[in-house]
Amino acid sequence: MQQLNVNLSIPIPADHVVVSKVELEDLRKQKLSGVYWTMKDVEERTGKKFEWIKENILYPPHFKKILDVEQGGFVYYPKKSGEKWSFLAIEMARFLDENFHLIFGGRK
């Protein structure tokens, strides 16, 4: 079998860098580590409104048992009027990524 060896240069724009996937994931985690989202942040991340998020993500029992801080999760569910929702950003981002097909695919 013949083999061709090629030396190739690919220019990378000055405002870009090349990093490994592992390093990229570490950077993403650092960016979200210790960060809390509000309901508005979740709305922006999902592109959905509060009522849809409650109906399709926060209150279905199979999700609530994972999400609710009182059950070991990472979402604070307000107990009384005037309290705010609070989401541990890194965990909520992971949950949305891992459950995208269930949340947006209609299979529950």
Side-chain angles (χ1 to χ4, degrees):
M1 175 169 75
Q2 294 183 15
Q3 185 174 346
L4 177 63
N5 293 322
V6 178
N7 186 6
L8 178 65
S9 293
I10 301 173
I12 299 173
D15 62 338
H16 288 70
V17 295
V18 177
V19 296
S20 71
K21 287 183 179 181
V22 171
E23 188 175 355
L24 178 61
E25 185 59 31
D26 286 345
L27 290 169
R28 285 181 178 156
K29 286 179 184 175
Q30 288 175 14
K31 183 178 178 181
L32 293 176
S33 183
V35 174
Y36 296 90
W37 286 347
T38 64
M39 181 57 74
K40 184 161 182 59
D41 294 316
V42 177
E43 286 179 329
E44 289 173 4
R45 296 288 176 148
T46 61
K48 300 292 186 180
K49 294 293 182 190
F50 175 63
E51 289 301 322
W52 189 95
I53 293 168
K54 287 194 316 184
E55 183 179 317
N56 293 279
I57 300 173
L58 298 172
Y59 283 115
H62 60 286
F63 287 154
K64 186 173 181 183
K65 70 181 178 184
I66 297 167
L67 299 172
D68 194 342
V69 72
E70 289 191 353
Q71 296 184 43
F74 42 88
V75 175
Y76 174 75
Y77 285 68
K79 305 284 183 276
K80 55 187 172 184
S81 180
E83 284 189 326
K84 304 283 186 191
W85 290 85
S86 188
F87 305 82
L88 185 56
I90 194 167
E91 295 296 334
M92 191 63 186
R94 180 179 298 121
F95 176 83
L96 292 170
D97 287 345
E98 292 175 356
N99 292 282
F100 181 86
H101 65 289
L102 297 173
I103 295 167
F104 293 96
R107 297 182 327 211
K108 296 184 177 164

